Each structure stands twice: as C-alpha cells, then as structure tokens.
Amino acid sequence: MLLGQSDILRRIYFGAGVIHLEKVSAGHMHYYMIYKNCGIGYGFHHPESQAFLRQPCEKSNFVISDYCFQIFGICSDCRRREIKHKWDVRNKNV
C-alpha cells in the first residue's frame, strides 16, 4: 500500500501537478489556500471555522472526525501575467 493511499497520510492537490502529503491526525483541522496556476499552496489556521461548522453538524446529528478545507484561486503574480498576456495579445491584433 502506498502512503498516500493509507490512513496515515492524506494527499492534498495543489494544482499544476503538485501533490502534498500530510499526516492525518484526529482533531487537527487543515486549511489551505492553493494557487491554481503556479501550484503554490500554504496552510493556515482559522479558529472561527469550528463554530461555523457546528450548527449544520448539530442539525443533522453529524460528528466531524476530520476535514481539509481548500480554497483555490490565482495569486497576484499570475494575475499580473494574465493581464499582461491579454494586453499583449490585444495589442498585437490591432
């Protein structure tokens, strides 16, 4: 069995072919911001998230054992490159 397919490690896909393996630990919640174009990702802590999740879980009698929250987006450098590329393409066609 590969480690990424076990209950010991979890695969986190950062995009652009980048995969991060992290240890699965009970009660430890994981949050990631992942830049889709360049594959950079970083973890962060958000203390209010447990309160945010508590209400829907209590309504459905659901107990969270673990979760991983991923936010995907585009970093400022990639956005600048996209804008420059669109500008260059637009001006070439003029």
Side-chain angles (χ1 to χ4, degrees):
M1 174 187 287
L2 297 173
L3 286 175
Q5 297 172 337
S6 70
D7 292 336
I8 299 169
L9 296 176
R10 164 194 356 233
R11 288 182 190 196
I12 307 295
Y13 296 94
F14 281 180
V18 177
I19 298 173
H20 171 75
L21 295 176
E22 73 174 13
K23 182 180 176 189
V24 174
S25 55
H28 185 78
M29 308 315 174
H30 308 269
Y31 309 89
Y32 294 95
M33 294 183 77
I34 301 167
Y35 303 131
K36 290 170 40 173
N37 290 4
C38 56
I40 295 171
Y42 69 90
F44 65 96
H45 178 69
H46 193 276
E48 291 86 19
S49 66
Q50 288 185 329
F52 170 75
L53 294 172
R54 188 174 299 121
Q55 183 181 9
C57 291
E58 286 175 356
K59 279 186 175 183
S60 58
N61 199 24
F62 182 81
V63 176
I64 297 173
S65 60
D66 190 23
Y67 72 87
C68 178
F69 185 75
Q70 297 173 294
I71 303 169
F72 293 89
I74 302 172
C75 71
S76 59
D77 290 339
C78 289
R79 283 195 317 269
R80 262 193 299 280
R81 280 192 292 273
E82 283 182 1
I83 291 168
K84 183 183 181 318
H85 176 74
K86 287 178 184 177
W87 174 263
D88 290 346
V89 168
R90 188 177 309 139
N91 288 328
K92 270 187 180 177
N93 294 331
V94 176

